[in-house]
Amino acid sequence: MTESTGIHLGTLGALSLSVISSVAIVICNKALISTLGFCFATTLTSWHLLVTFCSLHVAQWLSLFEHKPFDSRTVMGFGILNGISIGLLNLSLGFNSVGFYQMTKLAIIPCTVLLETVFLRKRFSRSVQMSLMLLLLGVGIATVTDLQLNVLGSVLSLLAIVTTCVAQIMTNTIQKRFKVSSTQLLYQSCPYQASTLFLIGPFLDGALTQQNVFAFDYTLKVLFFITLSCLISVSVNFSTFLVIGKTSPVTYQVLGHLKTCLVLAFGYILLKNPFSWRNICGIAVAVVGMAAYSYACIIESQHKPAETANQSTQGMKDQELDPLLAAEAGVNSKLTEENDSLWNKAGLERKTL
């Protein structure tokens, strides 16, 4: 097995793990929220991150991965920003209609493309741009139903979009800049994310649900689904950092819309949720957009090795030319030294005469 094949298999495994775990946690949380009435999403997320950190701490203690400390300010800022972005997304859902919230999630991809283009000078080909537009159109047709606008909800959505985009871009750039793995970054940032959400979670959930999370009736069934949700979240959080690190924030968002389509399909098949031709057409268009995006990414990944090889060849040619230039410079230097010695000798002869 070649190194490139191993990389592709690793990326495919990360994508598969992300899809499976995300769909599983959505089904679990749907039962927890819709059936059992546990509507404290932000607080539940803080518990997810706490369990993730404890699981990674045990894995690190068992030497399953190496702890690699790096810039503490960067880790703290990244962790707090991630926590704030999750809280803002939950607030956006609470103060907007479901349709407007879906539009907020759709806006994350073009915002990410814009930020990476402006600040990171990253270029997106025309085929990638067109496939993303097709994907967003399909998901919009399938999920966006009503668009009820209000000032507070719009401001919260805008803040949620910006913070989510920046956090996901940082997830990718930090791993590359400090040469840390997804596990190492998640392990170090989890305490800050969990602390941020644990502090703001009860207040946000109270404002959105008018209930107190600590006064909820925690039956055995509720505790079972909370525990199950926390255990699944370990895989969700790990695969999120893994996918963004191996691919890009845009690819992770595309994967997120694939999960949305799968959840809609599973809801129709397993839970008999109402489904219309609009949903079917939207999902079909979105799938075509995802296929086009995947094809465009594969074509670009095949072109990169060729460009790298060309650059290496040019570099070797430059290195071959350098000795010639150095030799020429050495000859010129030697001639200059000989001329100087002749002039000096002539000067001494004049003085003698």
Side-chain angles (χ1 to χ4, degrees):
M1 182 184 293
T2 63
E3 183 179 354
S4 60
T5 304
I7 292 174
H8 289 316
L9 289 176
T11 304
L12 181 61
L15 296 172
S16 303
L17 178 63
S18 179
V19 170
I20 295 171
S21 57
S22 296
V23 172
I25 202 169
V26 166
I27 295 173
C28 178
N29 288 347
K30 186 175 180 61
L32 186 61
I33 294 172
S34 301
T35 306
L36 301 175
F38 188 86
C39 302
F40 310 103
T42 307
T43 305
L44 179 62
T45 305
S46 70
W47 297 345
H48 286 171
L49 290 165
L50 180 61
V51 172
T52 300
F53 173 73
C54 293
S55 302
L56 291 177
H57 188 70
V58 172
Q60 192 265 332
W61 180 69
L62 294 173
S63 300
L64 296 179
F65 72 94
E66 180 184 357
H67 177 48
K68 184 180 179 181
F70 59 99
D71 190 1
S72 58
R73 284 188 177 182
T74 301
V75 175
M76 183 173 65
F78 169 71
I80 294 174
L81 180 64
N82 252 316
I84 291 174
S85 69
I86 294 171
L88 286 171
L89 281 172
N90 289 337
L91 279 175
S92 175
L93 177 59
F95 285 92
N96 290 304
S97 63
V98 175
F100 192 82
Y101 176 72
Q102 290 296 336
M103 287 295 296
T104 299
K105 292 176 66 178
L106 291 176
I108 292 175
I109 284 184
C111 182
T112 303
V113 170
L114 177 63
L115 290 176
E116 288 193 317
T117 302
V118 173
F119 294 102
L120 300 181
R121 298 290 187 267
K122 186 175 181 179
R123 294 182 180 180
F124 294 87
S125 65
R126 182 62 60 87
S127 56
V128 169
Q129 295 176 16
M130 295 301 295
S131 63
L132 290 175
M133 290 176 60
L134 188 63
L135 165 66
L136 296 176
L137 175 64
V139 176
I141 293 173
T143 60
V144 178
T145 52
D146 58 329
L147 290 176
Q148 299 175 7
L149 303 179
N150 63 83
V151 177
L152 179 59
S154 300
V155 172
L156 290 172
S157 293
L158 179 62
L159 292 174
I161 291 169
V162 173
T163 53
T164 300
C165 291
V166 174
Q168 291 182 357
I169 291 173
M170 286 181 67
T171 303
N172 181 272
T173 54
I174 288 175
Q175 292 185 50
K176 293 179 178 178
R177 178 184 175 187
F178 294 99
K179 293 180 174 56
V180 293
S181 67
S182 55
T183 309
Q184 291 167 335
L185 178 58
L186 180 60
Y187 176 65
Q188 295 188 64
S189 63
C190 254
Y192 299 106
Q193 295 184 61
S195 301
T196 302
L197 291 175
F198 189 76
L199 290 174
I200 66 177
F203 299 102
L204 291 185
D205 292 333
L208 295 174
T209 64
Q210 304 301 319
Q211 299 180 48
N212 186 354
V213 63
F214 301 109
F216 189 79
D217 183 19
Y218 290 92
T219 62
L220 287 177
K221 195 172 184 179
V222 171
L223 292 174
F224 170 77
F225 274 97
I226 289 176
T227 304
L228 180 62
S229 178
C230 289
L231 292 176
I232 299 174
S233 72
V234 177
S235 177
V236 173
N237 292 324
F238 172 71
S239 61
T240 296
F241 279 60
L242 190 62
V243 168
I244 296 177
K246 283 184 172 292
T247 57
S248 69
V250 174
T251 300
Y252 175 72
Q253 286 298 323
V254 171
L255 190 68
H257 292 305
L258 171 62
K259 299 170 193 174
T260 300
C261 294
L262 289 176
V263 169
L264 289 174
F266 286 149
Y268 172 71
I269 296 172
L270 300 178
L271 305 177
K272 305 301 179 184
N273 290 339
F275 218 58
S276 65
W277 281 106
R278 176 178 175 175
N279 300 128
I280 296 174
C281 292
I283 290 177
V285 173
V287 169
V288 172
M290 292 175 202
Y293 176 79
S294 301
Y295 179 75
C297 290
I298 291 173
I299 295 299
E300 289 187 2
S301 66
Q302 290 176 349
H303 287 168
K304 284 181 180 179
E307 293 176 358
T308 304
N310 291 335
Q311 292 175 358
S312 300
T313 304
Q314 185 63 35
M316 291 177 65
K317 290 180 179 179
D318 293 341
Q319 289 177 0
E320 290 173 358
L321 290 175
D322 285 343
L324 297 177
L325 295 174
E328 184 179 351
V331 170
N332 292 334
S333 176
K334 187 175 181 181
L335 290 174
T336 303
E337 290 176 357
E338 290 177 354
N339 290 334
D340 290 342
S341 63
L342 289 173
W343 280 108
N344 292 334
K345 184 177 180 181
L348 289 172
E349 289 176 353
R350 288 194 192 97
K351 288 181 179 180
T352 304
L353 293 173

